[in-house]
Amino acid sequence: MFKAIDPTTGVGYAVKAVAKEGSEAQVVARECCIMRQLNHPNILRLHTTLEDGHTWYLVTELCVGGELFGRLREMGTFTEAQALVVMRQILSAVRHMHSRSVAHCDLKPENFLLKTDGPVEGNTVKLIDFGLSQVCRGKGVLEGVMGNPYYVAPQVLSGCYDIACDMWSCGALLYLMLVGYPPFFGETYAEVLAKVRVGWYEFHESDWRHISNAAKTLVTCLLTTDVEKRYTARQAVNSQWVRGRLSLYNLIDSLS
């Protein structure tokens, strides 16, 4: 990955070079195809692709704020207000994706970039890396792909899933942002996955006592093993925590 400047406009872009030969080339071709179907302010924009005899070059918008994971590791946790700023952008991107029958299948903090190096509160979040993404036009039609153990949904482990797997990952992301550690953890990946399969996690009082019930409710509605009861992206965007807190913070801003 390197930075390039358009000499006519001075605009900077990120450029990813991929060899035309090898297994990665097929993955990148599919990734580009999916990215061209998406057009959303919280999804990294693919501007164009270029090529020479041996290499493809993917030209995307430039983000200089680093990964969401790095910012979270630096800060430890986000405040509830900061988590809201990030989460509503994530949910908006996922809602757009799902409206086009695209399942990302690998939502994790490493796959979100911050547009600038400024504070979280005023930043724009960009979803990246569609290498595991699939087009999903039905229930339980995807198989054979597994994401990060800390964010993967139980249905993915069973080998039969759909776009609802992304909503489970959103729940794990929200939990992580609010308290600084994932809802499912263990000494080994096997221990983590055993908890994921049954959906066993806790709201530890010492860490959650200052977090609103509305936030806990949204986490619970996302980390639901029953796919039929798990919140969709539309339901999550319209949840009490997202809509209620957003209205509250807008009111506070208008009075300050």
Side-chain angles (χ1 to χ4, degrees), residues 68-86:
L68 180 64
F69 180 77
R71 187 65 66 92
L72 184 57
R73 183 172 57 183
E74 174 187 312
M75 297 175 62
T77 63
F78 290 163
T79 65
E80 198 165 335
Q82 290 169 332
L84 173 63
V85 168
V86 174

Side-chain angles (χ1 to χ4, degrees), residues 67-232:
E67 296 176 354
L68 180 64
F69 180 77
R71 187 65 66 92
L72 184 57
R73 183 172 57 183
E74 174 187 312
M75 297 175 62
T77 63
F78 290 163
T79 65
E80 198 165 335
Q82 290 169 332
L84 173 63
V85 168
V86 174
M87 200 65 209
R88 67 185 179 89
Q89 294 182 69
I90 290 175
L91 292 172
S92 182
V94 173
R95 181 178 178 179
H96 173 79
M97 221 174 26
H98 288 183
S99 73
R100 282 152 179 77
S101 301
V102 173
H104 189 277
C105 301
D106 195 23
L107 295 181
K108 58 185 178 182
E110 293 91 338
N111 281 342
F112 292 94
L113 297 180
L114 296 173
K115 181 67 175 176
T116 75
D117 58 5
V120 171
E121 292 87 340
N123 231 308
T124 301
V125 179
K126 300 282 186 175
L127 175 59
I128 66 168
D129 196 349
F130 288 80
L132 295 182
S133 300
Q134 301 184 68
V135 175
C136 176
R137 303 192 186 282
K139 291 184 177 294
V141 298
L142 301 179
E143 58 183 22
V145 175
M146 179 175 166
N148 186 293
Y150 294 106
Y151 309 99
V152 69
Q155 288 72 31
V156 178
L157 302 181
S158 69
C160 183
Y161 56 101
D162 54 32
I163 58 176
C165 69
D166 287 338
M167 302 316 300
W168 176 280
S169 301
C170 286
L173 278 165
L174 178 54
Y175 189 109
L176 174 73
M177 287 190 288
L178 290 171
V179 294
Y181 55 86
F184 308 99
F185 57 91
E187 295 296 324
T188 65
Y189 282 159
E191 289 184 21
V192 173
L193 295 177
K195 293 179 180 179
V196 170
R197 284 188 176 91
V198 297
W200 189 88
Y201 66 95
E202 295 181 279
F203 291 121
H204 299 283
E205 176 63 23
S206 59
D207 297 319
W208 287 86
R209 64 179 182 275
H210 299 304
I211 297 172
S212 69
N213 288 331
K216 296 176 187 176
T217 297
L218 180 55
V219 170
T220 300
C221 291
L222 293 170
L223 293 179
T224 298
T225 55
D226 188 338
V227 178
E228 297 300 323
K229 295 180 180 179
R230 187 180 306 159
Y231 265 17
T232 63

